[in-house]
Structure formats: C-alpha cells, structure tokens
Amino acid sequence: MPDVLFSAEELSLSVGRQILYNQTEFAISTGEKVALVGRNGCGKSTLLRIITGAESPAEGSRLTRMRNLRCADLPQDFELDPQLTIAENVRAGLQFIYSQLERYENSDINSAAHADIEHFLNLHDAWVPEVRLNTILDKLHLADVADKSCANLSGGEKRRVALAKAIISAPDLLLLDEPTNHLDVNTIEWIEEFLNSTSTACLFVTHDRCFLDRVATRIVELDHGKFYSYSGSYADFLAAKADRELKEDIFEAKRQHFLRSEIDWVRRSPKARLKRNMGRMKRFEEISNIAKPLRDADMELLIPAPPRLGNKTVELKNISKSFGDRKIIDDFSFEFSPGARIGLVGPNGIGKSTLVKIITGEIQPDSGSCETASTVQFNLIDQNRTVLDQEKSVAEEISEGLEYVYLGSEKVTVWTYLKRFLFEDERIKTRIKFLSGGEKARIALAKILKNGGNFLILDEPTNDLDLSSLRLLEEALASFLGCLLLVSHDRYFLNRICTGILSFDANGKIIYTPGDYDYALEKRREREIANTSSTPVRKSPPPTPAAQIQPEKPKKLSYKEQKELDGIEDAIIAAEEKVAELEAIFSSPDFFAKYGHQTTELQTQLDSARSTVEYLYSRWQLLSFHEKRK
C-alpha cells in the first residue's frame, strides 16, 4: 500500500468573505500524479503553498506530512537569481543530491543509512549530478544557452529554467502550478514523458487538458471549499461531476418538497412538549439547516459581431524574413479565407511572433508582400495579456474613462460588462496588482474583446484560464464569423477550434495543413518518415533458393471493397463530426441542465463513435494500400 506523503483533515481557510476550504479533506500518496482543477481564485495555488509550509490554514485544520518530506515546486510567480547563469540556477537544485553523495562517502558501509542513500541514488540515477544536469538542460532545450545570464530571458525560457531546477532535485513530491504555460509542444511532451516515467509523486494545477489526460492518475476538483476526487480522463471527470451534481440536485428537490409539505404544520406551532411532535420538529430543523448545493456562474463571454469581411482578407505572397544570418521565414505564401480559424504552431523562438507582426503590418518582410483588404480590422490579444496598469482598479482599467461599453449594437455599463466576466462588486473595485493570474487573464480578455474587429489574433489565450472559462472561450471562438489566427501550444484547444494549421518547419519553411492539430501532427510524422526513408541503405539479402522464392501477388480490390474505399473518406468525416458533436456536449457549460440524465448513454455513444473512427481509419489504410499496389 502506498505511503501517504501529505494529508489534511478538517482543512479550513477563508480570505475575507471567500471560503477557500470548508472542513474538507485532501491526501496524496507516493507515486500518484494528481491533477488539481477548479475555478480561478478557488484556492488551488494556496493548497500548494500549504503543502510546502509557505502558508498556514485556519486553526483546527489537521495536517500530516511524511517524515522528512522533501517538496520541490514551480509556482506561477517564481524568482530566478538574475546574477547567475541558467546552468548555475539549475545546479542550485542539486544541493540535496550533493549532500547525499557526501553522506554516502562518509557513512559506515554496513549501516542502514548507507543502504538508504544508495537506494535513493540508484532510484534517481543521481550518482553523477553533472550528467543529470546536462541531460535535463538538453531535454528542456537549455543546453545551448546554459552559460546565458538569467537577467534577460523570455517568459518561456525562465519557466523552463525554474522547471529544471525543481525536477533535478529528485523530491518526494513535485508541485507544479500551470507547468505548461509559455512552453512549446515538444517541451510539454518531454515533461509528460518524464512525469510518466518517474516514481516521484506530483500534484499539478493545469488548464492543458491533453497534459491532464496523459499524466494524471487522479483528478481532484476544488469546488466551493470541498475536494472531490475522480479517476479516469478529463471526459470521465466531466461525466462523473455531472452525475454528482445530478444526485445533489435530486436530493435538494426532495429536501425542498419535504420542507414545503411540513411548513404548514410548523406554522401551526404544535406543542413541543408532546413527544410525538418533538421528533418531527427535530427532523424538520435538521433538514432545513442543510445548505443547498452551490453552483458557479459562467462567464457571458460575448465577442461583438464582426464588421463584414469581403472575399479577400489578408494575402501573403512569397514573403521572406531574416535576422542576421538566421532565416526566420522563407518564401511563404498563404491567403486567409473569410471565416478561417487558423492555428499557428512551432517551438518557442522559431518566428511565430514575427509572422504575426508581418500580418498586422508592424514589420515588413525582406521580400515578398502582405496585402490586407480595406475591410480588415485587426484585434490582437498578445502573450503578455496586453499592458495592464497594476495600480488601477478593474473598473478603471476597463472603462478607459467611459461609462458604457459598446458591444456592436448593444450598450451596457462597465459594471454590467465586468459582471459578465464573473467580477463581483468587491473585485471590480480591487486594484489589478492584487488579483490572481486567472483574474488578470479575464480582464485582458474583457479589455481586448470589447474592441471588436473581424480578424482576431490570439497569442497564447489559454494561459491562466480555468477549464470552465476555456470551454466558454472555445464556444465563443468557434461561432465567431470573422477570421481567427490562434498562436497556441494547447493541443486540445487547437483541436476544438481550428480549421487549419500553419506549422513552422526547419529553415524558415511554414507548412499549411487543413484540419485540426492532431491531423497536422500525423502529416508531419508522415513527412519525417518519408524523408528518413528517401535514402534507404541497401543490404544484400542472404541467398535464397529460387524454388523457395514466392513473389507476392498484389491483391486486387473487389467491387464491394472499391465501393467501400470510394465512400470511406465521407464516412470518416461523418464519424469524426459525430465524435466532435458528443465531445462538445460533454464540454458545454450547461451539460447537467440539458443532459444530466443521459450521462451514461452519452458516454457509451462517445466511446462507440471513437471506436468507429479508429476502425474506419484502419480500413482506409488497408484498402488504400491494396489500391496503390494494383
């Protein structure tokens, strides 16, 4: 049975009028990879600080930590020593390993301590710390800049350095707060592989649903001060949560029915001294004191209707751009069609921001041209969440001196507009510097989206948003009638939104693939395999007697198989649309209200639809193979 690393019982804590934890329980054991989810500001980051001892809960909370528990954390707001290089900052995480090596050398070879240290060093492959350092720097793409000062790093580079410093220390419990923010897909995939291969327990807060599905052994939701634990994938979590809320609402309906039926009897003031009335009165009081289930409100994330676009929007013609000897973009042509939702992907620093600046006219290409139609109105949400004045209140930042916000033909007060983004009166008056990262993300969305436009450019819009807000943003963008260019490393988000993917390849080449991110990734792998096999190494086969050589005859497709192949692409599209339709139902904010009673049936349909897609793809590959060999 795994050992419990940390547990909390009767956990309570309030901040002002907000209750973060209400007499609740939480625990994590060795080897677990636990995803912690919940609304922005509900107390997820606070729990991580409580575990590390940086913050204390209310009196009466009972915390239990494994003896000598070692934690390493990556908080949202971390600090690196700007006077040190990347390698020196990461090397600071090796202090415990160095101390264990010293103890090993100085301890009695026959002692229990000597054996324990040897087990630790073997488990984490930590006998040569510098090799461990170089390996992690290489995997996180920091080896080439290891001697660079940390004073002038980008946000993504700083996060990779802080992550390397945390994981290199081989802790008992790794605490990660939004570890995928500002990281490219390759780095995220390496983190997934590392966490799946390590015995170190991990508690992480994330909005990245692909990361969650691939790493988490358990999902814990913090909802109105209580922890709820779920096993399975993100889709399983949504279904189980809907089922829990359904049961709570059924119980609440029965409770209300009982209270309504008993209220007249209570109002008649029966004599409490009669024994037959005392029990009935006590039961009424007990049931009336049960709190009704609390539900979060959802943002009313409305994007103003875009001005009309013509047949032409933005066209890039043979553009190239270099900085010094480094070619960023090489002879790239592309035309954005009206209504297109294009994802822009590639490693950090490869040139995505440069392409965005060329599209918006901020910089000019070295050669080629960017032609923008007169009807195009750009609206950009940048990676830095636009510039927010930290000293202003939320209302002052959004109003910009005006009393009303105009959303197309709709006119609403600033106060009403902010309440649509889930800011209560108290938070609307609060200065921005005192808000959480998620609240700042919502302010940035509120500030930019009210400006309208018919060509939205979103640079990492999912950072710091909670899962509920992400679903609403996805729905708003999916129904947006203008053009959309989405720069993101969130694979789930790209799959939900995009109709095409622009991916940076080597040497400044940009490749367009219609469809979602998974399809673009599949095509990229096919190109890599084709490039690898384009220059095969010839090997002489061992001599075989001629009588044993049986040349394989190509199989000719039957009439029925040919008909199946002719229609299979349409069948695949229809099957994928069915999967997308069912996934959208599970992701909808009003899932419970509309479909709560159909949870099991819908999950069965989704599993069946996914199996159908897999079967159709396998049949398509088989039939296409024989078709090519005819």
Side-chain angles (χ1 to χ4, degrees), residues 94 97 124-126 128-137 167-170 194:
L94 288 170
I97 291 177
H124 297 286
D125 194 18
V128 186
E130 288 301 311
V131 172
R132 182 178 176 84
L133 172 68
N134 293 333
T135 300
I136 291 179
L137 288 176
I167 65 178
I168 202 172
S169 61
F194 170 80

Side-chain angles (χ1 to χ4, degrees), residues 203-234:
L203 174 62
F204 59 94
V205 178
T206 187
H207 65 270
D208 188 327
R209 288 150 291 185
C210 283
F211 184 85
L212 185 154
D213 274 342
R214 295 179 183 183
V215 175
T217 58
R218 182 162 61 98
I219 299 174
V220 174
E221 182 188 22
L222 178 55
D223 185 18
H224 290 98
K226 298 289 186 182
F227 290 107
Y228 300 93
S229 180
Y230 306 89
S231 59
S233 66
Y234 177 66

Side-chain angles (χ1 to χ4, degrees), residues 39-193:
R39 289 285 187 143
N40 288 134
C42 70
K44 301 187 297 296
S45 299
T46 302
L47 177 66
L48 303 189
R49 292 195 295 270
I50 288 174
I51 294 174
T52 61
E55 192 159 334
S56 300
E59 290 186 11
S61 303
R62 301 198 303 274
L63 307 182
T64 304
R65 292 182 176 85
M66 185 183 74
R67 186 179 179 185
N68 299 322
L69 176 67
R70 291 188 308 107
C71 297
D73 67 326
L74 173 67
Q76 282 195 51
D77 299 319
F78 55 85
E79 292 184 3
L80 300 173
D81 190 334
Q83 304 302 319
L84 301 180
T85 65
I86 289 174
E88 289 169 340
N89 264 297
V90 177
R91 189 177 286 111
L94 288 170
Q95 290 180 356
F96 181 78
I97 291 177
Y98 278 119
S99 70
Q100 293 304 293
L101 284 169
E102 184 177 353
R103 283 185 60 204
Y104 180 82
E105 293 172 358
N106 297 326
S107 62
D108 182 356
I109 193 171
N110 296 317
S111 66
H114 188 89
D116 289 341
I117 297 170
E118 184 176 11
H119 173 73
F120 169 83
L121 295 172
N122 285 329
L123 181 65
H124 297 286
D125 194 18
W127 290 101
V128 186
E130 288 301 311
V131 172
R132 182 178 176 84
L133 172 68
N134 293 333
T135 300
I136 291 179
L137 288 176
D138 179 61
K139 294 299 184 181
L140 290 176
H141 310 296
L142 296 170
D144 294 338
V145 290
D147 296 329
K148 184 178 179 181
S149 170
C150 288
N152 299 309
L153 299 181
S154 67
E157 288 174 325
K158 287 180 179 178
R159 183 160 286 271
R160 279 183 280 149
V161 173
L163 178 63
K165 183 179 178 180
I167 65 178
I168 202 172
S169 61
D172 301 311
L173 178 57
L174 188 60
L175 305 170
L176 304 176
D177 199 346
E178 297 291 2
T180 63
N181 276 3
H182 307 291
L183 298 184
D184 57 48
V185 172
N186 291 336
T187 305
I188 293 171
E189 288 178 345
W190 180 81
I191 298 171
E192 292 170 352
E193 293 173 5

Side-chain angles (χ1 to χ4, degrees), residues 371-435:
E371 299 178 1
T372 304
S374 59
T375 55
V376 171
Q377 298 179 20
F378 291 111
N379 193 355
L380 171 66
I381 297 180
D382 64 19
Q383 193 174 97
N384 297 317
R385 297 297 188 200
T386 194
V387 179
L388 299 175
D389 190 334
Q390 302 297 312
E391 297 302 321
K392 284 185 177 180
S393 69
V394 174
E396 291 170 341
E397 182 66 22
I398 295 299
S399 68
E400 298 177 321
L402 302 175
E403 186 178 351
Y404 295 95
V405 172
Y406 293 88
L407 304 174
S409 59
E410 185 182 6
K411 173 183 174 183
V412 298
T413 66
V414 170
W415 222 258
T416 300
Y417 181 66
L418 284 170
K419 287 194 172 184
R420 290 183 173 183
F421 285 83
L422 303 183
F423 286 99
E424 297 298 330
D425 292 348
E426 181 181 353
R427 304 305 279 174
I428 291 175
K429 300 174 186 176
T430 303
R431 280 190 286 179
I432 289 173
K433 66 181 181 181
F434 295 120
L435 301 180

Side-chain angles (χ1 to χ4, degrees), residues 223-224 244-246 248-249 293-297 592:
D223 185 18
H224 290 98
R244 170 177 67 83
E245 292 183 343
L246 173 62
E248 290 176 349
D249 289 340
L294 299 174
R295 297 287 182 264
D296 283 315
F592 163 72

Side-chain angles (χ1 to χ4, degrees), residues 538-544 549:
R538 293 187 178 180
K539 294 184 179 180
S540 300
T544 305
I549 300 176

